[in-house]
Every structure is written in C-alpha cells, then in structure tokens.
C-alpha cells in the first residue's frame, strides 16, 4: 500500500514548475516526463550511478530518522517543562515482547508443578539430602582446547573430578559412576580440537541432556579476568520459565551444591534467552553505594537538587573469570544415555523455530513448545511422532 | 570344451574376471577359492571344482563336476555348512572324499579364513561406535547469528547485577554486606588525621627492621626461589584484585584490624606479616647453610 501511495502522490500533485511545463511542450516527450516515480536505485544499470543514488537515498532516510528522533526528544522536554505528562516512549519491537503468552510458563502458585518437583530425579540433590558429586569426562579423542576447558569447568563445579575416557563406552562409564555414588556425569565432546557439545547425565536414573556448545571463550582470553576461589558458588538461573525450561534449570542446578558460600562471592550464571543458555562465571561481585545519579543530573539542572540528593544507589560490580560459553539444548532424554532404545522427552527440531518474519507475532520458540514436553512418567509406547495431544495424556 | 583349451583362451587372450595389478594377477570370479588367477584355482577352466561361498553369514560348499558341465543351470551342487567349524570340516571331508588333495586343502584354508572373518564381523557389529554426522554449514551459521542477537538481547551483565542486587535486598547475604558505610568512612578519616600516624610509626618500626633483614637475605632468596616465592605471588594476586574492585567490605573482621585494613598501611602490614614468616624461614635456612 505504502508503495502505491508513494507512486501516486507525485502523480496527483503537479510536480514540475512553470518552466518545466514549458519545456515539456518544447520537447514533446510527455509520457516519459510524466513518469512520476523516483527511479529506484535497483533499476539503474550503471553501477556508479546506482551507488550514488543509493547512498543519497540512504543519507536522506538517516537524516529523516534523526530529525524525527530530535523532534520527539524536544516534545518530551517541552512537556516536562510545562509540567505535563511526557509522551509515551517508543518501545522497540523485540522477539521477547512480541512473544505469544504461553500456558506452560510456570506460575508460583502451580501446585501440580511443585508436586512434580518433589517427584523428579533432582529432588534428592536439591533438597540437600545428598551432596552433588560430578564426574567429568570427554569424548574419545580429546585435544585442542578440550583439556583447558575441562580444567576450568572443574573449577566452576565444586566436588567434580575428571576421569580419562579411554576406550570405555558411555554406558559403562554411567555404570561406573553409579557405583561410586556420583550424582551427575558431564561429557565434553570435542570436534576438530574444539569443544562442541556437552552431555549432562543425571545419575542414577535421571534425564540426559544434550547441549550444543558454542562460542567458548576460556579464561585466559578474557580481559581483566580473575581467578576463582574454591568457595561454593551461588547460582543465577534466569528465564527458565516454561515447564521444559524449569526442568533443564533444575538439572543444571543439581550440578552445584545447594549451600553456597556467600563469602566467596562467586556467582555462576545460566541465562536463557531465546533458547540459548549463556554461561558466565563471575567472582568478587561487590555492592557499592554510589551517587552517580547526582552527577548526571547536575549537568541537566542544578535547580532540582532536592530530588537528586537523598538517593544513594546500590551498584554491583563484577569481575569475570572462568569460561564463557553458550549452550543450546538439542535433546532431553528420559533415563541415562541410550541412543538406540532411549526415549526422548524433547528433541530440537528445526521447524519449531520457524518464526514468521512477515507476520511478526507468531513466534514459537521450542522452549515454549508445550506439546513436546512430557510429564515425568512417560509411558513406554509413546513415540515422538505421535500427535501431541495424545502424548501429553 | 576341454579344460586346457579354456585355460589357454582365458590366460592368453581375454578373461573378464582377470585383474592385473602390480602385486600379481588376481581373479574376480566369486567362485574362485583362492582369488589368484592360475590353472589350478580357475573356476572356469576346471571341470571339477569346489569352493565355499558366504550368503549373509551362512556358508555353502559349492561343487561342480564334469558330468554336469553341459547343464549350466545345474552346474553347481551346493551344501549348507554347519556353523560349527569342526562339523563343517567333517562335511567337507565327507563330500570331497576322493577329490584332489590340493583342492581340498585350499577349501579348508578358505573355511578357516571365512570363519575368522565372520567372528570378527560379529564382534564389530556388537561394538558401540561413534556415528559420523553431517554439520550443515547453513544451519550452524544461522545458529551463530541468532545466538549473537540473543546475546545482545540478554544484556547479561545488567541482568546478573540486577539479580544480585535483588538478592541483597532480600537479605540473602545476611550481614556480609551491611556495613555502615558512612560511619566507616568517617572513622577512617578520623584515623588518618589523628590516630593513624602513631600506629603507622609503630608499624613502620617493625617494617624497617624486617625490611633490613630481607635486604640481607636477598641473595639467598634468589638462590632458594621455590615455596616462599609462590606464597608471595598468591598474596600479590589477591591484593591487586582487591585493589581493582576496592574490596573493602569483606566479611566480618575483627574491628580493630578492619579499620587498619581500610587504609593502605593496613595492607602493607598484612603483607609484612607474611614476610616475617618467610624471613624466619629464610633465617633458619641460612643458619643451616652457614
């Protein structure tokens, strides 16, 4: 529509001035001259010319945008001066705020959820009945950044130990770990000398989560990094809101001891955003009172000192240490690792993530995929391909 | 046709089963018992021939005789061999009782070899193996792009900070961070003005004494290296980090010392204490050396 209007507009308005009209008569090239459409750069065949026109158009657009922004700012300021309500700020449209409301999002008053929590596999660890003990191992050929990553992972996860993989099958290792009372098993898979997948198996019977690991940055590559202490870290799990997210969050939580040592001031973060789980490890966070607000306001108006004076802001400063990486859940399997006969609670599929860019609103992140989430006691004969509703029941 | 004629044609004119490679001349005929192209093991040029073939893990003894040479569709007589090696041997012995010894020997050799490879195949089949998968480049690139965008949208530092602040507000950290900052500062300033200098002097005295010792010991330290150096490094690390973040409100500390710690002097003295320990060590060592 907008395009059509654009095209029409110049046609309706008599574009050329008087002398133009005169020229038209002289040349008698009416049909050509009347074409009102400003030539699109893509229609120009000469590359130099095309570039030029394109750049010009872009510049104009940018200027227009800046002008609008300035106007908006001025309007807001004027409103403040007049003591009126300032006009509403424009909020950019993001995937987060256009997301469809999801019925699987866990609510704090969900009794069913809590009952499920009490029944699930992580309960023993999370209720501090057992202390978590983690076994870390690798794929068969481990080299490159793998060993360094494992070293740092061991510093992140307290009470963890590394065992060389050798030629053992994973099932054998699971058995071994079960005998020695490990509560979870972490397998770092490397491909082309680069860690690329993480397998977390909850023991003895718990689910198996297969994560894709990417964007690994080791400690030595982080600027101004600190070295972690041996205190038990506290955990920040952000945005694990849906049922599936909740489950994965609990799984991750069960890797760490539940009685953090706050004096160590270590914090381990798993932040979920659009199904990517970002891992960060900070140490020495510190809270400070700062009056930086005053400074910023002083510039603007010294008259409103009474406002700015009293509030001292608590700010938090962090020093990063340890690795930095991103996880993406590929599969969640019921029971321990078994590729042949294993039952999958959830599998990442590409088409779940198709979000219509044109329609904007419908976004179904697999994280929110209700139907693919199985309750904790799946019956045996359910296959992944069965229709969703039947699988839920 | 006589065997000799056939062999002559095959060997000297053309055989479609023949494979000449640098290591020798081989035969591709599936009925060949040895795989080598020669007169005795050619299945075409021998009217009396026997071999073993494998059909999906089951072995059959194939035999052909001159009597059936004119019936190509009934040329081969086939006997199923039992899975047991020894029993299979018996069957071969029974069926090839009056056959040339060389051929029988070759067939038995073939049976041995085939049983071995069948065992090996089964073993490999049972073994767990990694499966090689493709990694579609387009998808991975797309993942990376989306991840970058998600990372920007996540505003990690900000989120972590806000979360921690919330925890502080909830009182998760208890009394660790509830320092009366203002009073703390005022006390510090007061100390700087009045009390601190006296303390400083006292400490400085100690400092000078120990420092002198240290100076004497320097050569020895260089000699020894080792443990004390490590300690020193650790201390330094810790302190630089503390400096970075201005690490004042560390957990509860004895009050008198806490006030000292606040100032740099306090830190020095703390460091000094470690040095004292180390110097003692060095001293004893020197003595032993002397």
């Amino acid at each position: 529509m907008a395009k059509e209007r654009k095209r029409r507009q110049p046609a309706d308005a008599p574009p050329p001035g008087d002398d133009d009209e005169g020229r038209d008569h002289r040349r008698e090239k009416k049909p050509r001259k009347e074409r009102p459409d400003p030539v699109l750069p893509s229609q120009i065949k000469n590359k130099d010319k095309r570039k030029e026109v394109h750049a010009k158009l872009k510049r104009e657009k940018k200027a227009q945008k800046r002008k609008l922004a300035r106007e908006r700012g001025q309007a807001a300021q004027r409103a403040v001066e007049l003591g009126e309500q300032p006009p509403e700020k424009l909020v950019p449209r993001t995937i987060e705020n256009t997301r469809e409301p999801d019925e699987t999002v866990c609510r704090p008053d969900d009794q069913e959820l809590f009952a499920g929590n009490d029944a699930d596999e992580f309960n023993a660890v999370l209720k501090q009945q057992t202390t978590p003990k983690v076994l870390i191992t690798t794929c068969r050929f481990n080299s490159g950044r793998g060993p360094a990553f494992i070293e740092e992972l061991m510093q992140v996860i307290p009470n963890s130990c590394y065992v060389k993989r050798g030629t053992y099958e994973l099932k054998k290792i699971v058995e071994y770990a079960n005998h020695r009372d490990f509560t979870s098993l972490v397998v770092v898979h490397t491909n082309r000398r680069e860690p690329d997948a993480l397998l977390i198996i909850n023991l003895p019977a718990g689910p198996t989560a297969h994560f894709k690991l990417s964007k690994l940055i080791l400690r030595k590559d982080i600027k101004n990094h600190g070295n972690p202490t041996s205190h038990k870290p506290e955990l920040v799990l952000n945005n694990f809101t849906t049922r599936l997210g909740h489950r994965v969050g609990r799984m991750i939580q069960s890797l760490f001891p539940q009685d953090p040592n706050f004096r160590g001031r270590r914090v381990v973060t798993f932040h979920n955003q659009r199904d990517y789980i970002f891992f960060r490890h900070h140490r020495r966070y510190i809270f400070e009172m700062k009056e930086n607000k005053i400074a910023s306001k002083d510039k603007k108006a010294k008259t409103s000192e009474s406002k700015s004076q009293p509030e001292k802001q608590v700010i938090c400063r962090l020093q990063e240490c340890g690795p930095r990486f991103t996880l993406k859940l590929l599969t969640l399997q019921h029971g321990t690792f078994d590729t042949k006969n294993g039952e999958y609670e959830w599998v990442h599929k590409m088409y779940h993530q198709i979000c219509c860019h044109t329609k904007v609103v419908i976004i179904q992140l697999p994280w929110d995929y209700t139907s693919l989430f199985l309750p904790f006691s799946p019956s045996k004969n359910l296959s992944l391909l069965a229709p969703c509703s039947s699988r839920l029941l | 046709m006589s065997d000799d004629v056939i062999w002559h044609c095959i060997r000297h004119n053309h055989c479609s089963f023949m494979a000449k490679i640098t290591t020798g001349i081989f035969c591709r005929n599936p009925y060949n018992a040895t795989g080598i192209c020669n007169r005795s093991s050619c299945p075409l040029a021998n009217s009396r021939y026997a071999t073993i073939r494998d059909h999906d893990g089951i072995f059959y003894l194939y035999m052909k005789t001159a009597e059936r040479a004119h019936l190509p569709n009934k040329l081969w007589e086939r006997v199923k061999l039992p899975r047991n090696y020894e029993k299979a041997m018996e069957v071969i012995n029974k069926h090839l009782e009056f056959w040339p010894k060389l051929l029988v020997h070759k067939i038995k050799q073939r049976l041995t070899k085939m049983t071995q490879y069948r065992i090996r195949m089964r073993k490999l089949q049972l073994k767990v193996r990694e499966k090689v998968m493709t990694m579609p480049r387009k998808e991975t690139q797309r993942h990376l792009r989306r991840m970058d965008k998600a990372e920007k949208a996540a505003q990690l530092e900000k989120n972590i900070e806000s979360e921690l602040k919330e925890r502080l507000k909830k009182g998760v950290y208890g009394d660790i961070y509830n320092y009366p900052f203002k009073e703390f500062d005022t006390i510090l300033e007061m100390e700087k003005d009045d009390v601190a200098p006296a303390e400083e002097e006292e400490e400085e005295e100690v400092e000078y004494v120990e420092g002198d010792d240290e100076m004497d010991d320097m050569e020895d330290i260089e000699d020894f290296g080792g443990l004390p150096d490590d300690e020193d490094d650790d201390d330094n690390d810790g302190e630089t980090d503390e400096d970075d973040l201005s690490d004042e409100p560390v957990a509860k500390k004895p009050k008198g010392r806490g006030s000292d710690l606040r100032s740099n002097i306090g830190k020095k003295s703390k460091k000094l204490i470690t040095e004292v320990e180390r110097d003692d060590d060095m001293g004893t060592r020197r003595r032993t050396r002397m």
Side-chain angles (χ1 to χ4, degrees):
Chain A
M1 279 298 290
K3 255 188 183 176
E4 280 178 29
R5 212 179 297 144
K6 247 187 195 173
R7 266 179 211 163
R8 244 177 253 158
Q9 230 176 13
D12 294 341
D18 287 338
D19 22 83
D20 275 23
E21 270 181 23
R23 259 179 228 161
D24 273 355
H25 284 298
R26 256 172 263 152
R27 284 182 192 169
E28 294 186 0
K29 276 187 176 178
K30 264 192 178 173
R32 253 201 145 181
K33 195 64 192 180
E34 269 183 2
R35 195 182 60 192
D37 201 5
V39 185
L40 292 171
S42 58
Q43 289 168 345
I44 301 168
K45 280 182 181 166
N46 184 341
K47 191 176 182 185
D48 288 334
K49 184 71 185 166
R50 188 166 66 226
K51 260 196 220 159
E52 200 180 291
V53 173
H54 178 73
K56 198 183 152 199
L57 274 179
K58 217 173 180 185
R59 228 178 296 132
E60 277 169 9
K61 252 186 199 170
K62 233 182 188 175
Q64 181 77 10
K65 213 175 170 184
R66 232 176 290 139
K67 199 180 140 201
L68 282 175
R70 208 184 304 129
E71 274 171 13
R72 246 180 283 133
Q74 280 169 354
Q77 209 172 352
R78 223 176 298 132
V80 168
E81 277 167 13
L82 290 173
E84 288 170 7
Q85 195 73 20
E88 274 183 32
K89 267 196 173 179
L90 297 179
V91 181
R93 199 168 52 198
T94 58
I95 292 182
E96 279 80 17
N97 61 22
T98 51
R99 179 173 145 180
E100 275 190 341
D102 193 336
E103 67 268 25
T104 64
V105 168
C106 304
R107 287 179 301 278
D109 57 337
D110 194 349
Q111 291 304 319
E112 197 184 323
L113 176 73
F114 292 128
N117 279 352
D118 288 336
D120 75 353
E121 299 93 333
F122 319 112
N123 200 35
V125 173
L126 297 189
K127 286 255 168 87
Q128 299 191 31
Q129 288 156 359
T130 52
T131 49
K133 192 176 166 196
V134 182
L135 181 72
I136 298 176
T137 185
T138 60
C139 63
R140 183 139 174 230
F141 304 103
N142 182 32
S143 66
R145 289 209 293 173
F149 175 54
I150 283 167
E151 208 170 278
E152 289 183 9
L153 207 60
M154 279 173 66
Q155 286 174 343
V156 172
I157 304 173
N159 203 6
S160 62
C161 68
Y162 168 67
V163 173
K164 237 182 170 185
R165 174 68 182 269
T167 55
Y168 293 107
E169 292 165 24
L170 207 53
K171 280 180 193 168
K172 284 272 162 57
I173 292 177
V174 167
E175 220 171 85
Y176 163 89
N178 268 337
H179 285 311
R180 315 247 162 149
D181 297 329
F182 281 95
T183 58
S184 18
L185 171 65
V186 176
V187 182
V188 180
H189 191 268
T190 44
N191 182 27
R192 301 206 210 150
R193 294 177 297 285
E194 194 69 4
D196 75 331
L198 202 66
L199 200 69
I200 299 176
I201 305 172
N202 194 59
L203 297 174
T208 304
H210 183 208
F211 293 101
K212 184 165 149 169
L213 192 151
S214 46
K215 265 209 153 175
L216 172 68
I217 299 172
L218 292 178
R219 185 178 307 143
K220 68 173 171 40
D221 300 323
I222 297 173
K223 264 188 188 173
N224 295 328
H225 66 85
N227 291 321
T229 50
S230 58
H231 294 91
K232 289 174 189 167
E234 62 181 298
L235 213 57
V236 175
L237 294 170
N238 278 347
N239 285 352
F240 289 89
T241 49
T242 60
R243 282 300 191 89
L244 176 62
H246 187 74
R247 193 156 159 75
V248 174
R250 276 175 75 84
M251 183 168 198
I252 290 168
Q253 203 181 344
S254 70
L255 288 176
F256 293 87
Q258 301 307 307
D259 47 341
N261 201 335
F262 291 121
R263 289 183 195 288
R265 289 176 298 147
R266 275 174 78 191
V267 64
V268 170
T269 313
F270 289 88
H271 182 103
N272 173 29
Q273 191 91 23
R274 302 180 192 172
D275 302 345
Y276 294 98
I277 302 172
F278 297 99
F279 173 90
R280 295 289 182 275
H281 179 202
H282 292 280
R283 168 227 190 187
R284 289 180 178 278
Y285 56 82
I286 192 166
F287 298 108
E288 275 193 347
M289 302 297 217
K290 263 221 168 171
E291 295 139 61
N292 56 345
K293 273 231 163 162
I294 298 173
S296 62
K297 273 189 181 174
D298 273 357
K299 284 173 201 167
K300 281 184 182 175
K302 284 192 176 178
T303 49
S304 60
E305 267 183 17
S306 57
K307 257 189 192 174
S308 56
Q309 267 275 346
E311 281 156 41
K312 273 189 173 179
Q313 233 195 339
V314 179
I315 61 156
C316 172
R317 294 200 287 159
L318 298 163
Q319 185 184 25
E320 188 163 357
C321 63
R324 187 194 286 182
F325 56 84
T326 310
L327 298 175
K328 182 169 174 58
L329 186 67
L330 294 181
T331 60
L332 186 66
Q333 199 178 46
H334 190 256
T336 54
F337 182 80
D338 191 350
T339 44
K340 272 180 187 161
N341 310 317
E343 251 181 87
Y344 289 94
E345 291 179 24
W346 182 87
V347 176
H348 168 71
K349 278 179 190 164
M350 214 49 219
Y351 75 89
H352 293 158
Q353 231 185 12
I354 293 170
C355 34
C356 310
H357 294 292
T358 48
K359 286 182 186 172
V360 175
V361 195
I362 306 159
I363 297 155
Q364 286 182 328
L365 295 170
W367 215 240
D368 320 326
Y369 219 66
T370 346
S371 46
L372 276 168
F373 176 72
L374 273 180
F376 302 120
S377 55
S379 60
K380 281 272 166 178
N381 50 1
L382 293 179
S383 78
L384 272 173
L385 299 171
C388 309
S389 52
S390 74
R391 291 187 61 240
L392 261 181
L393 304 168
Chain B
M1 232 193 299
S2 135
D3 286 351
D4 286 327
V5 176
I6 294 175
W7 176 245
H8 192 264
C9 287
I10 282 174
R11 185 67 178 189
H12 300 290
N13 291 331
H14 176 73
C15 172
S16 53
F17 296 111
M18 187 155 49
K20 278 186 183 172
I21 52 175
T22 47
T23 41
I25 302 171
F26 294 100
C27 179
R28 283 205 203 96
N29 195 314
Y31 289 94
N32 196 320
T34 58
I36 298 165
C37 182
N38 57 21
R39 177 72 181 83
S40 63
S41 64
C42 184
L44 303 175
N46 286 302
S47 54
R48 198 183 199 207
Y49 195 73
T51 185
I52 300 174
R53 288 193 67 191
D54 175 17
H55 293 286
D56 295 329
I58 300 162
F59 296 156
Y60 290 94
L61 176 66
Y62 278 77
M63 294 164 287
K64 78 170 190 183
T65 47
E67 287 82 41
R68 276 176 280 125
H70 62 289
L71 300 168
N73 63 340
K74 288 176 185 170
L75 185 61
W76 292 98
E77 179 195 355
R78 146 178 128 161
V79 179
K80 190 180 168 186
L81 291 177
R83 285 185 63 180
N84 191 329
Y85 174 74
E86 276 151 25
K87 279 178 190 165
M89 277 296 199
E90 277 171 25
V91 171
I92 290 170
N93 276 335
K94 201 180 88 189
H95 280 274
L96 308 180
E97 209 177 342
F98 306 109
W99 287 54
K101 284 280 162 310
L102 183 69
L103 194 61
V104 175
H105 178 63
K106 269 179 191 166
I107 284 166
K108 282 178 181 171
Q109 269 185 334
R110 186 170 164 82
L111 178 72
T112 315
K113 200 194 246 175
M114 283 172 81
T115 359
Q116 278 166 0
Y117 86 58
R118 188 165 62 179
I119 291 166
R120 213 178 312 136
M121 264 167 73
R122 296 225 163 117
K123 215 186 263 173
L124 283 176
Q125 207 82 51
L126 287 175
K127 208 173 166 187
V128 176
R129 299 198 136 194
E130 280 176 11
K131 195 178 158 197
V132 179
M133 309 257 283
T134 53
M135 297 223 318
R137 189 187 137 78
K138 201 172 159 188
E139 266 174 38
T140 47
Q141 296 297 92
R142 181 166 50 205
H143 270 303
L144 283 179
R145 268 196 311 274
R146 284 190 183 155
M147 196 175 64
D148 283 343
K149 284 178 187 172
E151 191 172 358
K152 269 169 208 156
Q155 296 181 312
L156 289 166
E157 293 263 310
K158 220 179 182 181
N159 268 319
I160 296 167
E161 277 172 25
S162 64
E163 175 69 35
L164 289 178
K165 263 186 254 171
E166 212 157 273
R167 283 185 189 180
L168 180 70
K169 244 180 235 171
K170 273 184 196 164
V172 177
Y173 302 119
D175 57 344
I176 302 176
Y177 290 103
N178 288 343
Y179 268 98
F181 277 87
K182 246 188 184 173
E183 282 83 69
F184 206 82
D185 286 339
T186 50
I187 287 169
L188 270 180
E189 273 168 28
M190 273 165 62
E191 275 183 4
K192 254 184 202 169
D193 294 342
D194 321 322
V195 199
E199 275 184 22
E200 259 179 53
E201 276 169 22
E202 281 174 17
E203 284 186 354
E204 266 173 14
E205 276 176 35
V206 181
E207 228 175 283
Y208 285 131
V209 173
E210 303 300 336
D212 286 343
D213 273 356
E214 198 187 37
M215 287 306 285
D216 290 338
D217 285 353
M218 279 310 280
E219 300 152 69
D220 291 9
I221 287 169
E222 278 170 16
D223 288 345
F224 282 110
L227 241 178
D229 261 0
D230 284 350
E231 277 175 22
D232 202 24
D233 282 349
D234 285 345
D235 283 349
N236 280 342
D237 280 351
E239 270 167 44
T240 47
D241 287 338
E242 278 166 20
D243 285 343
D244 289 344
L245 288 170
S246 70
D247 193 20
E248 296 86 5
V250 199
K252 275 191 231 158
K253 271 179 186 163
K255 272 178 188 172
R257 262 177 106 203
S259 60
D260 288 341
L261 270 176
R262 177 72 194 211
S263 60
N264 280 333
I265 316 137
K267 271 182 188 172
K268 263 184 196 169
S269 71
K270 189 184 166 194
K271 194 176 168 188
L272 250 186
I273 289 164
T274 60
E275 279 172 3
V276 170
E277 285 165 11
R278 187 223 298 157
D279 285 346
D280 283 345
D281 269 5
M282 298 309 291
T284 52
R285 274 188 198 174
R286 199 175 54 166
R287 262 172 241 146
T288 53
R289 223 181 160 202
M290 301 271 271

